[in-house]
Amino acid sequence: MPGTLPAAPQLIALDWGTSSLRAYLLGENGACLAQASGAFGILKVADGGFDATYVRVCESWQRDYGPLPVLASGMIGSRQGWLEAPYVPCPATPAQIAASLASLEASDGARIHIVPGLSCRDAQGVPDVMRGEETQLLGAIGTRDDALWVLPGTHSKWARSRSETLLDFTTYMTGELYAVLCGHSILGRLMPAATRSDAAAFARGVGYGLSTGADLSRKLFSARTLGLFGELPAEGLADYLSGLLLGAEIRDALSRSPAATEIGLIGEPGLCERYGAALEIAGVRAHAVPGDAAARGLWRVAVAAGLV
Amino acid sequence: MPGTLPAAPQLIALDWGTSSLRAYLLGENGACLAQASGAFGILKVADGGFDATYVRVCESWQRDYGPLPVLASGMIGSRQGWLEAPYVPCPATPAQIAASLASLEASDGARIHIVPGLSCRDAQGVPDVMRGEETQLLGAIGTRDDALWVLPGTHSKWARSRSETLLDFTTYMTGELYAVLCGHSILGRLMPAATRSDAAAFARGVGYGLSTGADLSRKLFSARTLGLFGELPAEGLADYLSGLLLGAEIRDALSRSPAATEIGLIGEPGLCERYGAALEIAGVRAHAVPGDAAARGLWRVAVAAGLV
């Protein structure tokens, strides 16, 4: 029923990650007119099935309102995705990112444009990368001079921006460490099957993680010993470990941005809430960025690229 | 053939850990007259089977030369072991350790004495523990005023001693982190089935692990990105990760003992060699303590306890 839309569609925006695909039909000023999503992430689509997946998700939009330009971000642009969009080095502006889109023609004749990931190097010259998060960041950054952002997840990203420029970023393997330690280490074996949320244990973990003078591999053993000494209930161990990992991440990240007094959180609401609580313990305010940042970022790139 | 021994047996010493049991028949001055070992660690002995295991391993010695006192160290004294020997707080002398032996009577009438573990607390009051390593340390420490020791393993221990006193120690979950990351994380999935030893990748990992200004959870992601950028061969990724974890451990530990110029390594030769190589990169000399340190430590405790 194309006539029911409040405005003319101008762009199909795809947030296409490892586990899921979120599709947005965007109209004037990036207003979201319709959306669709499914478990069609690049790890879940069989060999070469990206074109068929795109057609299945978007064919009614293209038929009813097309032909529309398509802009995608996320792991779909990785080496394992549909078409590799090489990393753009930081600092990067929306214009630089828009100038580096990869593109291909889908079987329905539509032009598919893919947003590149970003790279940067630390003081030791070691590279870091993001793919998908750069678009979420472009959907979040405003006109503030200097801002600090966290995108919590399996591999958390901390990014700095100045006005519209993404300056640099760092990745922490916090979420993956938490998962493998709970699932496969002695710490996980100490956790009872029936855990409960334990805010005090979480806060204690954050506090110890924030403390200076010890690296993470040393702090981790506290999750073993505090239980052994009866100073932490087994039911709270998972929350303690979560807090410990977040605290260590936050300490490291804040040491790189000592002037930061407020941080924008971008991501899944439950995870952002945990980070917000940990940041509060660290004495830093955090605000959650409204959802669908990727859709807003895709619109921004589309404008910069002249697609809309 | 009891008559073939060069000296009269005086003690049965048991190094009884999580995965294995090493039994030593010790004579005058702790000379090792015979030994036996097997995969009878406390996790491998069925419920309550400690007495039967002891009898099976030691009955010929007790029959031929007994009754002999028995002294055991390691996880056999833990809550999951034969009899719990509560932790003695650091600093601890051999005499204090010997004064805190737990003991029980075995089914063959022999008195079994068990060496306690040690505990200490860091500046934040968080407890740390060792069990078994204290006995290895007692078998290694000489009369040097100040010494620093490393016992590499699943949970590596760094300990400081002054003369015969064990001052304090810290635990790093390095070995377990390496195992769970190789076995269950994205880093492990990037490692090809056929790996090869890669000294250059190991050294590079050590160097980055030693570098300041980043916590471990951030450094870990370099094992992902260096391969992605073609700056580290996939076959060397396991060695890079191993070096990275060792480097981070060594940096943290040396920051607590900045005056250390030489370190004693106690443990499995292959692992000690890896730590020695990493310490050399950190500019610190290391010497390997001869094997069977636990047997020498058990003798030292037996002397202090008046058992021999």
Side-chain angles (χ1 to χ4, degrees), chain B residues 4 13 33 110 165:
Chain B
T4 63
L33 309 175
T165 302

Side-chain angles (χ1 to χ4, degrees), chain B residues 93-259:
Chain B
T93 62
Q96 287 168 322
I97 291 169
S100 300
L101 302 183
S103 79
L104 57 83
E105 191 180 313
S107 61
D108 67 353
R111 201 78 210 161
I112 313 287
H113 305 274
I114 301 180
V115 180
L118 296 187
S119 66
C120 63
R121 287 185 188 263
D122 70 8
Q124 280 79 33
V126 172
D128 205 337
V129 293
M130 61 167 55
R131 192 178 282 286
E133 293 92 347
E134 74 297 324
T135 304
Q136 292 176 277
L137 283 163
L138 291 176
I141 58 176
T143 52
R144 283 172 56 194
D145 258 7
D146 286 284
L148 183 58
W149 308 93
V150 193
L151 302 100
T154 305
H155 299 164
S156 293
K157 309 284 182 183
W158 288 66
R160 297 192 297 182
S161 65
R162 179 168 298 154
S163 185
E164 292 198 323
T165 302
L166 299 178
L167 295 176
D168 57 22
F169 61 90
T170 52
T171 300
Y172 297 83
M173 289 187 67
T174 304
E176 183 154 18
L177 276 174
Y178 179 73
V180 298
L181 288 170
C182 286
H184 305 283
S185 80
I186 185 177
L187 303 184
R189 290 191 291 279
L190 294 170
M191 296 173 188
T195 59
R196 59 177 171 78
S197 177
D198 186 334
F202 178 76
R204 182 168 185 183
V206 172
Y208 193 50
L210 287 170
S211 67
T212 55
D215 202 69
L216 184 61
S217 64
R218 179 151 87 85
K219 287 177 175 168
L220 282 176
F221 198 59
S222 67
R224 164 87 179 103
T225 55
L226 285 172
L228 192 65
F229 279 69
E231 297 172 18
L232 183 73
E235 296 77 14
L237 183 51
D239 272 343
Y240 176 81
L241 178 61
S242 165
L244 180 63
L245 290 165
L246 263 63
E249 173 185 331
I250 288 169
R251 183 177 77 86
D252 187 280
L254 292 183
S255 74
R256 298 169 33 86
S257 300

Side-chain angles (χ1 to χ4, degrees), chain A:
Chain A
M1 308 218 292
T4 62
L5 291 180
Q10 299 186 23
L11 177 75
I12 292 176
L14 304 179
D15 172 13
W16 203 336
T18 303
S19 53
S20 69
L21 164 61
R22 288 185 191 81
Y24 302 88
L25 184 66
L26 303 183
E28 202 174 356
N29 294 320
C32 182
L33 309 176
Q35 53 181 301
S37 64
F40 307 127
I42 70 159
L43 290 184
K44 307 195 174 170
V45 171
D47 264 1
F50 299 120
D51 189 285
T53 302
Y54 151 72
V55 169
R56 176 158 35 135
V57 171
C58 302
E59 68 180 337
S60 67
W61 290 346
Q62 290 288 21
R63 187 187 58 224
D64 296 343
Y65 314 109
L68 292 170
V70 180
L71 182 61
S73 66
M75 292 305 281
I76 193 65
S78 70
R79 212 167 291 170
Q80 293 76 39
W82 199 352
L83 177 69
E84 186 172 3
Y87 297 103
V88 171
C90 279
T93 63
Q96 287 168 322
I97 292 170
S100 301
L101 302 184
S103 80
L104 57 82
E105 190 180 312
S107 61
D108 66 353
R111 201 78 210 163
I112 312 289
H113 305 273
I114 301 179
V115 180
L118 297 187
S119 66
C120 63
R121 290 186 186 260
D122 70 8
Q124 280 78 34
V126 172
D128 205 339
V129 293
M130 61 167 55
R131 191 179 281 287
E133 293 92 347
E134 75 295 325
T135 305
Q136 292 176 278
L137 283 162
L138 291 177
I141 57 175
T143 52
R144 283 172 55 196
D145 257 7
D146 286 284
L148 182 59
W149 309 93
V150 193
L151 301 100
T154 306
H155 299 165
S156 293
K157 309 284 181 185
W158 287 65
R160 298 191 297 181
S161 65
R162 178 168 299 154
S163 184
E164 292 199 323
T165 302
L166 300 177
L167 295 177
D168 56 23
F169 61 90
T170 52
T171 301
Y172 297 83
M173 288 187 64
T174 303
E176 183 154 19
L177 275 174
Y178 178 73
V180 298
L181 288 170
C182 286
H184 305 283
S185 81
I186 185 176
L187 303 183
R189 291 191 290 280
L190 294 169
M191 295 172 187
T195 59
R196 58 176 172 76
S197 177
D198 186 334
F202 177 76
R204 184 168 184 183
V206 172
Y208 192 50
L210 287 170
S211 67
T212 56
D215 201 69
L216 184 61
S217 64
R218 180 150 87 84
K219 287 176 175 168
L220 282 176
F221 199 59
S222 66
R224 164 86 179 103
T225 56
L226 285 171
L228 192 67
F229 279 69
E231 296 171 19
L232 183 73
E235 295 78 12
L237 183 51
D239 272 343
Y240 175 82
L241 177 61
S242 166
L244 181 62
L245 289 165
L246 263 63
E249 173 184 330
I250 288 168
R251 183 177 77 85
D252 187 280
L254 292 183
S255 74
R256 297 169 35 85
S257 300
T261 56
E262 182 164 352
I263 290 176
L265 284 162
I266 305 172
E268 191 267 310
L271 206 49
C272 285
E273 204 175 305
R274 278 186 103 71
Y275 270 72
L279 284 163
E280 196 178 324
I281 294 170
V284 176
R285 279 194 312 274
H287 68 275
V289 170
D292 296 325
R296 293 192 299 281
L298 283 161
W299 180 259
R300 191 171 208 152
V301 174
V303 170
L307 295 178
V308 293

